[in-house]
Amino acid sequence: MQNSLIKVGIVGGAGYTGGELLRLLVHHPHVHISFVHSNSQAGKPVTATHTDLLGDSDLVFTNELGTDVEVLFLCVGHGDAKKFLDANPIPDTVKIIDLSQDFRLTEKSAFGNRQFVYGLPELNRDQIKTAANVANPGCFATAIQLALLPLAENGSLPAEVHVSGITGSTGAGQKLAETSHFSWRNNNISSYKVFGHQHLLEITESLQALQSNLDTAIRFVPYRGNFSRGILCTTYLTSDLSLEEAQQLFRQFYAGHPYTIVTDKNPDLKQVVNTNKCLLYLEKHDDQLVITSLIDNLLKGASGQAVQNMNLLFGLDERASLQLKAIGF
């Protein structure tokens, strides 16, 4: 158990995931935030960007890296984490939790002397506890994997799995783009990266770790939603399991995992927004098993899961600073 405060550094603190991380860590009972790095906002108060932290923090953004930290969170864009570490050598004594996709795949998980463990606690909790570096999973990847992992462990994934999923605009990050403008996003919906989403690679690798003979095509259609945050995925596949057998399988798999919950009632997105939860709801229609999974893309899909991983790395209560309230209505 950690007795003294964990000294934390955050790189990319001005973006969405950096802001969510600050909101979780500023009141974490076992954390001291040593610095918040941002090239674009250096010298400005953190509250100038994250105005909801007024009264909670007097931190100031810096463009310098402090050396007296125990763990460094990288809240930078995909491809930028590796560039950052190339340009800024970090002592091996500092643990790294990377929120980009740079180190998620096994073939890309090594960087110099560092080896990154894939940070999905429901899959790799024991490995995370003894790791030095963690590659935080993607948001869609988290929602889809949690819908499929129990079936993979049971050897029950068929030749094809069909998934449709919708995500809020924060999933695209803070950088402006045509499809993130209010006038485009409001009262609108569109699909993108049909059957070619980048998260399919990490999903497949995780499933193969549990079902070694896996030869499953995951047909994933993602949608841009006209709301700010949250992910809802609907997954369906052919299964011989009865509904009761499937529910028992899922409940047994997630027993002891505090944030993945199997519910008997069809859930809605507001039940998970502003929480670190994943809700799973199962239905059976003829030979089709349908799994609905819901998460907050910025919490269980990003910064909340990163804090969950930090808690595991340092032997803390997995739920520390993550007992959050859903928005409800």
Side-chain angles (χ1 to χ4, degrees):
M1 176 63 66
Q2 183 82 18
N3 293 318
S4 58
L5 294 180
I6 302 165
K7 297 174 183 176
V8 168
I10 300 172
V11 174
Y16 288 147
T17 57
E20 287 297 281
L21 196 58
L22 279 163
R23 293 175 188 103
L24 295 172
L25 294 181
V26 73
H27 295 304
H28 194 296
H30 304 292
V31 162
H32 168 72
I33 303 174
S34 297
F35 68 87
V36 186
H37 183 277
S38 172
N39 287 323
S40 64
Q41 303 300 312
K44 298 179 182 178
V46 162
T47 53
T49 297
H50 305 299
T51 55
D52 57 298
L53 288 176
L54 282 166
D56 292 305
S57 175
D58 57 3
L59 287 163
V60 175
F61 288 115
T62 179
N63 56 6
E64 297 181 359
L65 293 177
T67 57
D68 186 21
V69 295
E70 296 167 81
V71 60
L72 186 66
F73 289 90
L74 299 182
C75 302
V76 296
H78 302 313
D80 291 336
K82 186 177 183 301
K83 292 177 184 176
F84 178 86
L85 293 178
D86 277 330
N88 302 276
I90 304 299
D92 291 343
T93 54
V94 177
K95 298 178 186 291
I96 292 177
I97 300 175
D98 176 37
L99 279 72
S100 81
Q101 66 182 14
D102 290 15
F103 306 110
R104 291 174 188 164
L105 301 179
T106 298
E107 64 179 18
K108 298 181 179 180
S109 61
F111 182 85
N113 295 327
R114 295 184 181 275
Q115 187 69 39
F116 285 79
V117 169
Y118 187 67
L120 186 63
E122 291 80 359
L123 177 67
N124 289 331
R125 178 192 268 164
D126 290 340
Q127 296 95 309
I128 294 165
K129 287 180 178 179
T130 60
N133 309 284
V134 173
N136 219 55
C139 50
F140 265 132
T142 295
I144 295 171
Q145 285 176 94
L146 294 177
L148 294 175
L149 290 178
L151 297 168
E153 186 184 59
N154 195 52
S156 300
L157 290 178
E160 282 198 354
V161 171
H162 297 268
V163 186
S164 61
I166 187 166
T167 184
S169 59
T170 53
Q174 197 175 44
K175 187 177 180 180
L176 290 178
E178 179 184 355
T179 55
S180 62
H181 280 284
F182 176 83
S183 56
W184 188 93
R185 201 98 178 194
N186 189 45
N187 297 322
N188 201 8
I189 188 172
S190 68
S191 62
Y192 69 106
K193 296 181 181 178
V194 173
F195 290 5
H197 197 281
Q198 66 272 15
H199 289 180
L200 288 171
L201 296 173
E202 60 188 280
I203 293 168
T204 300
E205 190 166 274
S206 294
L207 297 177
Q208 287 173 338
L210 296 182
Q211 186 170 326
S212 58
N213 63 342
L214 185 75
D215 188 21
T216 298
I218 301 174
R219 311 297 190 191
F220 176 38
V221 181
Y223 295 92
R224 301 179 181 95
N226 62 343
F227 49 92
S228 296
R229 58 195 294 164
I231 283 177
L232 185 151
C233 287
T234 303
T235 300
Y236 66 94
L237 50 92
T238 302
S239 176
D240 293 331
L241 296 170
S242 69
L243 177 60
E244 292 73 20
E245 289 170 334
Q247 289 173 330
Q248 183 180 14
L249 182 70
F250 274 66
R251 289 196 169 102
Q252 287 177 344
F253 188 93
Y254 292 118
H257 290 285
Y259 292 115
T260 300
I261 302 152
V262 182
T263 176
D264 291 329
K265 295 183 178 180
N266 193 355
D268 60 78
L269 201 57
K270 286 186 176 181
Q271 290 175 251
V272 298
V273 169
N274 199 46
T275 80
N276 199 52
K277 295 177 183 177
C278 174
L279 294 185
L280 297 170
Y281 173 67
L282 281 65
E283 300 177 73
K284 192 71 188 290
H285 299 278
D286 300 322
D287 64 346
Q288 296 296 300
L289 179 64
V290 183
I291 309 114
T292 300
S293 54
L294 305 91
I295 66 170
D296 185 316
N297 59 291
L298 291 178
L299 288 169
K300 185 58 175 168
S303 302
Q305 189 144 256
V307 171
Q308 189 177 356
N309 282 319
M310 183 201 71
N311 290 337
L312 291 170
L313 282 177
F314 287 91
L316 304 173
D317 183 340
E318 190 172 349
R319 301 165 296 174
S321 203
L322 292 172
Q323 300 292 73
L324 306 170
K325 177 191 174 298
I327 60 173
F329 51 85

